[in-house]
Amino acid sequence: MLYLLYQGEYLDRMGNRPADKLAAHGVERQLRETVADLPAKGGWIELKDAMGQAAAPLEEGGYHLLVLDGAGRTVFSNCSELDEHLLGEETTPALFVGESSVYIFRSSNIVKYMFGYSGDDYHAIAILSRDLGNIEEDLANITYIYRVRLLLAGVVVFLLADFLLAYRLSRKIQNHLLVLQRGALEVRKGNLDINLPRQPDMDKEMTQVYEAFEDMCGRLRRSREERLQYEESRRNMLAGISHDLRTPLTVIGGYVQALMDGVASTREQEMRYLEKIHHRTDSMVQLVERLFLCSRLEMGEYPFNFVATDFRGWLSRSAEKLQKELGEEGEVRLSLPEGESPLLMDGTELFRVLQNLLGNARKYGGKPLIFSLSLERQGDRLHLTAGDNGPGVSEENLERIFKVLFREEKARTDSAAKGSGLGLAIVRWIVEAHGGRVWAENQGGLMIHMEFPLDRMAEEGK
């Protein structure tokens, strides 16, 4: 009887009551109806709007919604940081097979619904939200469950005439729970730098609970720091945009005012003024287009066309095109390994990477320019190095040159080396979209290193 009472109380405390399961089925039904009402043709914008409308009634029932595409990228989310921590591996990309749903009931109820829309697969996850303010209540629930367990153990131990052991165990667990409770209070105050004090006689299970709690705090702390860095980056980006637009707008305004005042007395002078206005306007249009491209790349909304390609042959052909663009300004030097190098890639966008690197080298490299491209095969990865014979950049800025709108101060004032500060940021996003990474070094000039994973499927089928 005591055991049955305990099981009923346990399910009630941990959120696995029949009513909770019924509510979870209701959430799944709302998601299914939302997907069914989607227009026959549409994209991620229509899907995002529809999921935003569906999230409101779900939130009234205590559920938050996260929608991922087949690659695991977020389409819509109103989940808190703690929700995403609790979801954990549930947000990793999964294999979509038709239309199905899965229900998981733990300390937080999770509803997973997979569906296809406009030729793409999506994964909707609704979670019964847990808030930091409820951690103390959750710990109180766990304390209650432990006490019930201890009561059962006490009855058994009493029957075995060993009540003292149960008492000691109860005190030990309560002390640990008090430590966790104090840690939860610190989290509620905003303090995420928590190291819970260990006791020499702690058992393995409680040590794991302590480590899980500290890991959660660490993840929340890193998430908060990333959000602050993101906000700082946005502020710097707005400042950079205003700087880069202010100068051409001022020049355009000056020439327009001169034309209105009749300063240009001949048709030739008028044409020179108009050419200056056209040149400045064109530079602003290019800046806005690059900013739009950066925005789509950063949000993961740019449509890449990945095809299995021999990267070695593609790079050889691309180097010839770059040499034609460079003309007599310099030389493109190419170093290639033996054999084919299969890579799953978007040739158009990777050529944009090479063009941006060449454009950067033409602004800051030597005269005449020597632009080098060196490809090496290192295990299961391809290593591409692009370098120039310029002065490089300062060591403290090597990690910053890939940020949006970053330029060294000399580049902002040097009329011979003007740029938008977006080229290397675009390089980083395109390389990372190919599953690679990029970094910079000073080695007799600025060297940009890129690594890409080999396409095993293409290599096995070769």
Side-chain angles (χ1 to χ4, degrees), residues 346-361:
D346 185 325
T348 300
E349 297 308 320
L350 282 185
F351 188 70
R352 188 199 299 273
V353 167
L354 298 182
Q355 285 181 312
N356 286 357
L357 294 177
L358 178 61
N360 194 66

Side-chain angles (χ1 to χ4, degrees), residues 233-288:
S233 175
R234 287 299 181 189
R235 286 194 293 269
N236 292 338
M237 184 180 70
L238 289 175
I241 292 173
S242 64
H243 177 278
D244 291 336
L245 291 179
R246 185 186 303 114
T247 300
L249 285 174
T250 302
V251 173
I252 291 173
Y255 282 119
V256 171
Q257 186 63 48
L259 290 172
M260 294 174 62
D261 294 341
V263 175
S265 58
T266 64
R267 179 61 179 171
E268 289 75 12
Q269 288 180 331
E270 289 181 355
M271 290 303 299
R272 283 200 300 272
Y273 283 15
L274 291 174
E275 287 176 0
K276 294 288 186 181
I277 293 173
H278 175 73
H279 174 71
R280 296 290 181 170
T281 303
D282 184 62
S283 67
M284 286 193 298
V285 170
Q286 293 181 15
L287 175 60
V288 171

